[in-house]
Amino acid sequence: MVNLQPYASPSYFIIIGLCLLPIIVGLYHGKRFVAYETLFSLVFIVLTFGGDHWHQGVALIGYVLYQLLIVGGYARYRRRNNQTSVFVAAVVVAIVPLVVVKVTPAIQVGSQSLLGFLGISYLTFKAVQMVMELRDGTIKAFQPLPFLRFLLFFPTISSGPIDRYRRFEKDYRTAPERAKYLQLLNKAVFYLFLGFLYKFVLGYIFGKLLLPEVAHAALLQRAAFFHTGLSLPLLGYMYTYSMYLFFDFAGYSLFAVAISYLMGIETPMNFNRPFAAHNIKDFWNRWHMTLSFWFRDFIFMRFTFFLMKHKLVKNRVRISQCAYLVNFLIMGFWHGVTWFYIVYGLFHASAIIINDYWLRFKKRHQGLPHNRWTEGLAIFTTFNIVCFSFLIFSGFLNVLWFK
Amino acid sequence: MDTKQTIIAILQDITGADVSDDLDQNIFDSGLVDSMATVEMLLELQDQCGIDVPISEFDRNQWNTPNKIIEKVASMQ
């Protein structure tokens, strides 16, 4: 049986384009063919998780049934009761499969958990979000089918962007008006071509052509600078990898958003010119936005709210610092249980804490100069700090130092 | 104190800035209010205005100017 990885080859785009035609014609006439869309989504999920990936398909089915049970069960419970312990238990149980998948390779080196499949993180974000919103009462009724549709929305199933249930449901319940849909089509076509440029041209140049070259050159410099390996080629690796990471992931995200738009669903954007950020805080409002906003809303804000409400920590500066540490440490662990992902998290937590000190200093000293030179310096500094964090993230230092 | 005065006082308390001269400024874009300040504001709204806004109800686009906050709070009281 065939297997088709999302957005990986020209044939994928041709097949998806043809299968989308009835949906596009329908939406143009203000109709959403729910039955066809469901069938079409199922076919693409089978293509992604079938064939020689069948074991992932089995893991996916098991995972979905498991989450259906937890979220459905919690919704049922929440109608009458609202104990904090049950809420916490529901969240913990919902993330257990992801934790197992992330921890397994760290314990048994080189082995992957049988529970794993492409996109498990992104499905977990959606499921946990449901539990939290049920707790808040912003989602009142639990309906299995819309939940499944949200969880398994195939354009975003493998790597996001991470949508929100209520937003998604609202889009899905109606068909956009024609003028609006034409706008979406327009944008979708633009995003598709921009995505091709990003992922298949620029991502390819940086990732496939340049990266192996600079990696090789950097590895030859292991003895440089007192055997730390710090060398010009390593600097080259840092910038090349950063460009590759951005164009590859932003390209993918553009595809996911474009295909969603064609289906009349306004999946949120993931990137907003991240390298134009003038500080680290600004950077996280522009880079992998659906992830950082998810962390902001479901971890950072909830954690600070908890600390302040129960007056566990008095000083508000300390509170925000604790929350940044927790937030970015979890993000680090989420990327994977390796030293470099965890250091990447700690690095960003430290950077944003220092950033906050600076912002408070600026507030107290209103007379500081502000012009296009200081703005340029801010953008330049932020860019380099971010690229350095991506060098940590890349895992290349692990190869350079320990392999 | 009416809602408007209360909100202006809360924002002054949290951000240290007097927002009363421009009630339509975007408090998130200018960096005046961040996630941390948002949480403080939600807690103050709970204490001083008796309204309960869950974090998942808080959509930045609906709360991004002092006027929008005043309107929101008034509608919830």
Side-chain angles (χ1 to χ4, degrees), chain A residues 5-7 48-49 117-123 125-126 151 153-163 199 248-254 256-257 267-268 270-271 288-291 334:
Chain A
Q5 286 308 294
Y7 313 114
T48 307
F49 296 101
F117 57 89
L118 178 74
I120 183 171
S121 315
Y122 293 90
L123 265 59
F125 286 128
K126 289 180 172 178
L151 205 59
F153 184 59
F154 89 90
T156 62
I157 197 171
S158 62
S159 310
I162 309 157
D163 208 345
K199 193 170 164 71
D248 187 72
F249 195 29
Y252 157 82
S253 299
L254 284 167
V257 169
T267 294
N270 240 356
F271 293 91
H288 203 176
M289 289 144 72
T290 60
L291 178 81
W334 166 71

Side-chain angles (χ1 to χ4, degrees), chain B residues 39-50:
Chain B
V39 173
E40 288 181 285
M41 183 172 83
L42 294 183
L43 281 165
E44 289 302 320
L45 291 179
Q46 225 171 41
D47 285 350
Q48 297 187 33
C49 308

Side-chain angles (χ1 to χ4, degrees), chain A residues 251-271:
Chain A
Y252 157 82
S253 299
L254 284 167
F255 294 148
V257 169
I259 301 298
S260 305
Y261 280 10
L262 294 178
M263 298 173 73
I265 303 283
E266 284 187 79
T267 294
M269 287 293 272
N270 240 356
F271 293 91

Side-chain angles (χ1 to χ4, degrees), chain A residues 291-325:
Chain A
L291 178 81
S292 74
F293 294 168
W294 192 96
F295 270 78
R296 179 191 74 196
D297 294 349
F298 295 105
I299 296 182
F300 183 89
M301 287 177 70
R302 268 157 217 275
F303 186 70
T304 46
F305 195 89
F306 176 79
L307 287 185
M308 287 166 103
K309 177 114 191 152
H310 298 278
K311 305 207 164 45
L312 294 175
V313 183
K314 293 269 158 20
N315 184 323
R316 69 176 299 273
V317 175
R318 289 291 164 274
I319 294 176
S320 71
Q321 291 170 344
C322 287
Y324 282 134
L325 267 176

Side-chain angles (χ1 to χ4, degrees), chain A residues 132-133 136-138 166 281 285 296-298 300-302 304-305 308-309 316-317 319-320 324 356 363, chain B residues 14-17 31-32 34-40 42-43 46-47 52-58 60:
Chain A
M132 296 216 180
E133 291 216 24
D136 280 1
T138 43
R166 285 178 291 154
K281 236 171 164 168
N285 285 327
R296 179 191 74 196
D297 294 349
F298 295 105
F300 183 89
M301 287 177 70
R302 268 157 217 275
T304 46
F305 195 89
M308 287 166 103
K309 177 114 191 152
R316 69 176 299 273
V317 175
I319 294 176
S320 71
Y324 282 134
D356 256 9
K363 219 176 203 168
Chain B
I14 294 168
T15 66
L32 198 63
D34 57 7
S35 313
M36 181 71 198
T38 303
V39 173
E40 288 181 285
L42 294 183
L43 281 165
Q46 225 171 41
D47 285 350
D52 208 354
V53 186
I55 289 169
S56 44
E57 192 66 63
F58 187 88
R60 278 193 185 206

